[in-house]
Amino acid sequence: MLFLYFLVFLLFFVVILLPRKSNEILSSKLALSRTKSRTKEKVSIEHLPEELLSNILSRLPSKELQKCKFVCKSWFHLIKDPHFVTKYYVVYNNHIVTNHDLFVIGRPFPSSKKTFISLLSCNSNDNITNKNKEHVPSKVLNPPCEYNSDHEYWTEIMGPCNGIYFLEGKPNLMMNPSLGQFKALPESHFATPFGGNSLMDYTGFGFDPKTNDYKVVVIKDLWIRARGEEHLGWWRTELYSLNSNSWRRLDAVLPLPIEIWSSSRVYTLVNNCCHWLGYVEDEFGKRKDVVLAFDMVNETFRKIHVPRVRDCWEESSATLVPRDESARIGMVVHSVKRYDVWVMKDYWNQESWVKVYSVGPVEVISTLVGICGRDQFLWKNNNEELVMYEAESGKVKCLQVFGKNDSLRAARYMESILSLHRGNEFSGQCVSIDWVHDR
């Protein structure tokens, strides 16, 4: 009888319970499979959360990032997005890069105006002294062949401005060395008035965030010839717009009287304003330092008065510099073997100038040609060699880059994916080669 009960139970289990259990197991496996499939779909390349993807891509070097544009459409549109371009510039240069490379121009041969444009690898964390003669590797950027001759030369670096550099010279040009892009600016079609001479051009470069435009402003010092003599005539101002790729006359009035020393050796763009160091003369003919500012957004000039920062004009010189991540303007006043650093703490208050510190004696300084970081100054020594001086530590590094006839200029190199292309317009492409100086 027990055996009969057991047999009935076994049949019930096989016929009814086992299929039901099998169906539940099969359903569970199918559900798990679907879950895994959905998980795989969620972590596929095209379905990564945009914020996560943006954080990952903003840590790549610009050349590698350009390759990522061709992975898929969503990546392409993200990398081209203006907000990502801005984020990349800030994140990569301020949080990823540890070594500050330099963007350098110079003419190594005294008999030629041919200017070399190069990226210099410079690790400021090295144990450096002025006796360090290890090779410093660099990469030479060759402009397109039509601009790569003894007749083309450049005298000043302005930048970086969001990773874009302006080189003043023949021809004037904009560059993005990260992308190897090179754009020669067209010639201005505004002629000098009849009987007049343009004695000097003073150039500024900057960005207008209101119109998303990069602008170059040129102040022309005009003299009018009258009765066989030269008399001071007037200033003329012209402005180039990258968006329109053209020049136009500006009606902005300079705050006269003022005289400008030259285009600045050190790029000083603060609050969307470029700056020149100038002077005014009092009724006794005594000169006083002033700063001329041009607002790239409003396209207006402003004169900023400077306190007495140097005792003797003949024995010292002054150079404008950016301070505090380009939030303020500063001034380096240097004489033989020493220099003072001044800063205007409130940009809109010309009474807020203070002396931050003094450094000296320093054997290597001769002429300030650039700045890299907060207190890393780039000087040309008496041998016309580029040297880096760190004010805080007192360390000096000879960079073994030479420029004849006062041609050395240097600026911090910043990675950028901002393109110089506007619409269907074409800009040239630089060719780069690795080069190690052999001096």
Side-chain angles (χ1 to χ4, degrees), residues 132-247:
N132 183 3
K133 293 299 178 182
E134 295 180 1
H135 289 304
V136 179
S138 68
K139 180 174 292 186
V140 177
L141 298 176
N142 289 322
C145 57
E146 62 267 30
Y147 302 112
N148 192 13
S149 71
D150 291 339
H151 303 291
E152 277 69 38
Y153 59 91
W154 298 280
T155 55
E156 301 293 344
I157 296 177
M158 298 180 194
C161 182
N162 300 326
I164 304 299
Y165 297 81
F166 173 79
L167 300 188
E168 182 182 9
K170 182 184 177 183
N172 290 325
L173 62 92
M174 290 186 189
M175 282 188 69
N176 182 342
S178 302
L179 302 182
Q181 290 183 352
F182 174 105
K183 177 176 177 57
L185 274 60
E187 293 282 345
S188 170
H189 61 273
F190 298 107
T192 303
F194 178 75
N197 296 315
S198 178
L199 297 181
M200 188 68 70
D201 290 351
Y202 307 101
T203 307
F205 168 61
F207 176 65
D208 178 358
K210 188 175 180 179
T211 59
N212 193 33
D213 195 9
Y214 290 83
K215 299 176 179 179
V216 177
V217 59
V218 178
I219 305 171
K220 291 183 176 291
D221 187 356
L222 297 179
W223 288 67
I224 303 300
R225 190 177 300 275
R227 298 190 185 95
E229 298 179 354
E230 288 184 342
H231 297 278
L232 181 62
W234 65 87
W235 300 95
R236 169 183 285 177
T237 308
E238 301 173 3
L239 186 136
Y240 169 82
S241 162
L242 179 62
N243 284 351
S244 65
N245 191 34
S246 63
W247 292 88

Side-chain angles (χ1 to χ4, degrees), residues 27 71 106 130 148 215 221 298 417:
S27 298
V71 172
N130 64 332
N148 192 13
K215 299 176 179 179
D221 187 356
N298 299 319
I417 57 172

Side-chain angles (χ1 to χ4, degrees), residues 113-148:
K113 289 187 176 181
K114 182 178 175 62
T115 308
F116 283 84
I117 307 172
S118 58
L119 298 180
L120 188 68
S121 178
C122 181
N123 186 352
S124 62
N125 296 321
D126 289 342
N127 183 20
I128 53 180
T129 67
N130 64 332
K131 296 181 180 179
N132 183 3
K133 293 299 178 182
E134 295 180 1
H135 289 304
V136 179
S138 68
K139 180 174 292 186
V140 177
L141 298 176
N142 289 322
C145 57
E146 62 267 30
Y147 302 112
N148 192 13

Side-chain angles (χ1 to χ4, degrees), residues 132-415:
N132 183 3
K133 293 299 178 182
E134 295 180 1
H135 289 304
V136 179
S138 68
K139 180 174 292 186
V140 177
L141 298 176
N142 289 322
C145 57
E146 62 267 30
Y147 302 112
N148 192 13
S149 71
D150 291 339
H151 303 291
E152 277 69 38
Y153 59 91
W154 298 280
T155 55
E156 301 293 344
I157 296 177
M158 298 180 194
C161 182
N162 300 326
I164 304 299
Y165 297 81
F166 173 79
L167 300 188
E168 182 182 9
K170 182 184 177 183
N172 290 325
L173 62 92
M174 290 186 189
M175 282 188 69
N176 182 342
S178 302
L179 302 182
Q181 290 183 352
F182 174 105
K183 177 176 177 57
L185 274 60
E187 293 282 345
S188 170
H189 61 273
F190 298 107
T192 303
F194 178 75
N197 296 315
S198 178
L199 297 181
M200 188 68 70
D201 290 351
Y202 307 101
T203 307
F205 168 61
F207 176 65
D208 178 358
K210 188 175 180 179
T211 59
N212 193 33
D213 195 9
Y214 290 83
K215 299 176 179 179
V216 177
V217 59
V218 178
I219 305 171
K220 291 183 176 291
D221 187 356
L222 297 179
W223 288 67
I224 303 300
R225 190 177 300 275
R227 298 190 185 95
E229 298 179 354
E230 288 184 342
H231 297 278
L232 181 62
W234 65 87
W235 300 95
R236 169 183 285 177
T237 308
E238 301 173 3
L239 186 136
Y240 169 82
S241 162
L242 179 62
N243 284 351
S244 65
N245 191 34
S246 63
W247 292 88
R248 58 185 169 89
R249 286 277 299 274
L250 279 184
D251 297 326
V253 179
L254 268 72
L256 300 177
I258 192 171
E259 296 293 332
I260 305 173
W261 283 114
S262 65
S263 296
S264 181
R265 291 173 178 265
V266 179
Y267 184 62
T268 308
L269 184 75
V270 176
N271 287 330
N272 302 313
C273 298
C274 59
H275 301 84
W276 301 266
L277 183 62
Y279 66 91
V280 295
E281 292 185 349
D282 61 18
E283 62 272 21
F284 304 106
K286 191 173 182 180
R287 293 177 175 179
K288 295 181 179 179
D289 287 310
V290 295
V291 174
L292 178 65
F294 177 76
D295 190 322
M296 289 287 172
V297 178
N298 299 319
E299 298 182 355
T300 55
F301 287 100
R302 171 190 175 212
K303 183 162 60 177
I304 302 171
H305 290 278
V306 178
R308 187 177 179 180
V309 296
R310 43 181 167 171
D311 296 325
C312 181
W313 282 54
E314 290 75 18
E315 297 179 2
S316 62
S317 58
T319 306
L320 291 176
V321 296
R323 296 288 299 173
D324 303 326
E325 301 296 330
S326 295
R328 300 182 176 96
I329 59 172
M331 184 181 296
V332 176
V333 180
H334 41 100
S335 54
V336 180
K337 295 185 179 180
R338 66 170 292 109
Y339 65 91
D340 303 326
V341 179
W342 290 73
V343 65
M344 190 169 72
K345 299 187 72 173
D346 180 356
Y347 182 75
W348 303 108
N349 180 7
Q350 61 186 5
E351 304 298 327
S352 62
W353 285 94
V354 295
K355 183 161 71 172
V356 182
Y357 58 82
S358 298
V359 176
V362 183
E363 296 293 333
V364 298
I365 67 173
S366 173
T367 304
L368 184 65
V369 298
I371 192 168
C372 180
R374 179 178 174 84
D375 291 305
Q376 294 176 328
F377 297 93
L378 301 167
W379 298 87
K380 181 194 72 174
N381 64 17
N382 292 326
N383 296 323
E384 296 190 286
E385 180 183 12
L386 186 65
V387 296
M388 176 186 286
Y389 180 79
E390 295 182 351
E392 185 175 351
S393 64
K395 292 180 179 179
V396 178
K397 184 171 185 178
C398 296
L399 302 178
Q400 292 156 59
V401 177
F402 297 82
K404 302 299 182 183
N405 304 322
D406 191 31
S407 62
L408 270 179
R409 299 292 186 273
R412 181 183 173 185
Y413 169 66
M414 304 281 274
E415 290 267 344

